[in-house]
Amino acid sequence: MWKDAWDTWGPQQDINSVKVINKVLDRESPELVVLNGDLITGENTFLENSTLYIDQIVRPFVERGLTWASTYGNHDHNFNISGEGILQREQRWPNARTLNMVPGRDAGVSNYYLPVYAAGCNEIECSPELLLWFFDSRGGFYFQERNPDGSQRGQPDWVDASVVEWFRRTNQRFVSKYRRIIPSLAFVHIPTDASQALQIEYGKNSIDRHYQPGINDDYPLAQQAQGWCPDGRNDGTCAYGGQDIPFMQAIVSTPGLIALFSGHDHGATWCYKWDRLVPGMTVEGTGVNLCFGQHSGYGGYGNWIRGSRQVRVDLRTLRGSWEAETWIRLESGDIVGSVSLNATYGDDWYPATPNTMTYCPTCNYTKITPGPGSFQKKLNVRRRV
């Protein structure tokens, strides 16, 4: 996340974040890059130039001729920055694949799909081999809006019901048109309540270092609808409102959905197969894998080593068994957490992921000056920032 442009350490964080991107891309050869939310620390930006940081983020992709697709996170929605503004800036570049397919204020912005075809095919001649779904979990604050008391107006932090309906309807249209289930992957910034329920089911040992390898320091996770009440209040009196239940129901009822990838919780990098009804939940998992990425930037909280989750699919496994390979490439060049998201994931043994820390080598944090987001009233609710 790009943050704090007025102290010297802010631009230094940005420089080191770009270095991480370049280090990963020097060792990997992706055909598509996914930016899974919190591209910019919106609360620390100025209205006049808040979206210009996009150019710095995507420069490594542009220089390599790579395409990318984004979801937007809670920090991308703020008083001085909006998802609409970020999308407009992204689409200035021909390499951008980010879209907005669901209209309406409550929907958010980055809700869309990208069909993937076999080499030499296109939408006229062939059916897609894979669908990539992108969802806006919103959160943060509404752009340039205040409450009567002058505080910034908070935005709900879950995938809206209108988006869920669009997802169900659009996926069914693909099934009807091509008369088959098309395998898919999905991306959303804030994880659902299912990720937290799986994580805490048996305490911290719920995530096994050899069967779900990854960092598990953010315990418990911060899920969608955290801090909201079932009746829509957001006054700090409720722990979780359940507004992400329709989205979870849609996820588990979508055949062929291999995995849902989230960000948000920087200290979580594991994958877990959700294949049962977890105590305390009303939605039963059907086998979709819930995964986290690796914190890539030097902005935001935590000092876990930076890196990026990689995902690889091929025609053979897509057509046969709906599988994906995934691993995390670290800024050090090492690979950790390499697993196969197949029928036996969760039963297969893997090496544990080392919990390594890195620190911004050129940042001087002795001076921290209040910025444009410093006077926002904050509710007394634990939130992932």
Side-chain angles (χ1 to χ4, degrees):
M1 295 187 296
W2 271 240
K3 67 185 296 179
D4 194 339
W6 50 90
D7 287 326
T8 59
W9 54 267
Q12 287 300 313
Q13 284 186 337
D14 299 350
I15 291 170
N16 283 278
S17 296
V18 172
K19 287 181 178 179
V20 173
I21 296 173
N22 281 313
K23 287 177 180 178
V24 170
L25 293 178
D26 284 345
R27 292 172 172 83
E28 299 286 350
S29 300
E31 296 183 72
L32 176 73
V33 176
V34 174
L35 301 172
N36 203 7
D38 280 0
L39 282 63
I40 299 171
T41 306
E43 61 268 34
N44 287 352
T45 60
F46 294 100
L47 178 64
E48 294 75 16
N49 66 347
S50 60
T51 63
L52 299 187
Y53 293 101
I54 289 296
D55 298 354
Q56 191 174 356
I57 297 170
V58 305
R59 183 174 296 121
F61 315 146
V62 174
E63 291 174 346
R64 291 170 171 81
L66 297 173
T67 59
W68 73 87
S70 302
T71 69
Y72 299 148
N74 48 301
H75 288 282
D76 299 315
H77 298 284
N78 218 281
F79 189 75
N80 283 338
I81 195 169
S82 67
E84 291 86 354
I86 295 175
L87 177 63
Q88 184 178 28
R89 192 71 191 184
E90 280 196 72
Q91 291 183 337
R92 291 166 62 98
W93 299 98
N95 310 55
R97 296 291 179 264
T98 311
L99 297 168
N100 179 359
M101 292 185 175
V102 186
R105 169 184 170 88
D106 293 335
V109 177
S110 56
N111 301 293
Y112 60 104
Y113 66 84
L114 294 176
V116 181
Y117 297 91
C121 281
N122 56 50
E123 60 183 333
I124 298 176
E125 301 172 345
C126 306
S127 64
E129 299 291 346
L130 178 72
L131 293 174
L132 302 177
W133 297 96
F134 302 85
F135 301 100
D136 192 339
S137 50
R138 304 178 295 159
F141 298 90
Y142 284 105
F143 180 65
Q144 293 288 290
E145 292 189 24
R146 294 189 183 275
N147 294 311
D149 65 358
S151 62
Q152 296 169 19
R153 187 178 180 191
Q155 180 173 220
D157 59 352
W158 56 84
V159 176
D160 187 65
S162 64
V163 177
V164 174
E165 176 57 30
W166 164 83
F167 171 47
R168 288 182 180 274
R169 185 175 63 251
T170 305
N171 188 65
Q172 184 55 50
R173 191 171 70 240
F174 275 109
V175 173
S176 299
K177 179 177 181 179
Y178 297 108
R179 298 182 180 181
R180 69 182 182 91
I181 295 170
I182 300 174
S184 58
L185 301 171
F187 302 86
V188 67
H189 179 68
I190 304 177
T192 65
D193 186 55
S195 291
Q196 190 197 86
L198 290 164
Q199 183 200 35
I200 67 175
E201 183 178 7
Y202 307 111
K204 287 210 71 173
N205 293 329
S206 301
I207 306 300
D208 190 284
R209 60 200 301 264
H210 290 296
Y211 293 96
Q212 295 90 24
I215 299 168
N216 188 36
D217 286 351
D218 272 340
Y219 182 91
L221 297 170
Q223 79 277 54
Q224 293 182 29
Q226 182 196 44
W228 291 77
C229 296
D231 62 5
R233 286 180 294 113
N234 182 23
D235 56 8
T237 62
C238 299
Y240 165 68
Q243 287 88 347
D244 62 335
I245 289 176
F247 181 55
M248 290 189 289
Q249 291 171 331
I251 291 298
V252 300
S253 62
T254 302
L257 180 55
I258 301 169
L260 173 65
F261 297 92
S262 299
H264 196 54
D265 296 272
H266 302 174
T269 65
W270 41 266
C271 292
Y272 203 115
K273 185 183 292 293
W274 181 22
D275 58 0
R276 64 189 185 281
L277 181 63
V278 182
M281 293 193 66
T282 59
V283 182
E284 182 174 357
T286 54
V288 63
N289 296 285
L290 304 179
C291 295
F292 289 89
Q294 183 87 15
H295 187 203
S296 300
Y298 272 88
Y301 74 93
N303 293 301
W304 298 279
I305 188 169
R306 276 68 177 180
S308 174
R309 178 171 291 282
Q310 311 296 308
V311 183
R312 180 173 59 207
V313 294
D314 61 51
L315 281 178
R316 178 183 58 83
T317 53
L318 285 179
R319 291 175 175 176
S321 53
W322 299 339
E323 298 177 4
E325 303 290 323
T326 184
W327 63 95
I328 291 173
R329 174 73 71 172
L330 300 175
E331 60 179 323
S332 63
D334 296 330
I335 291 176
V336 297
S338 180
V339 301
S340 295
L341 300 179
N342 54 24
T344 57
Y345 180 68
D347 297 321
D348 301 329
W349 188 97
Y350 295 98
T353 296
N355 195 345
T356 308
M357 302 289 171
T358 54
Y359 303 88
C360 180
T362 58
C363 296
N364 181 356
Y365 295 111
T366 59
K367 181 180 180 181
I368 300 178
T369 307
S374 302
F375 304 104
Q376 165 61 30
K377 294 182 179 179
K378 297 184 181 294
L379 296 174
N380 186 26
V381 177
R382 185 188 68 86
R383 293 188 185 276
R384 191 72 64 227
V385 296

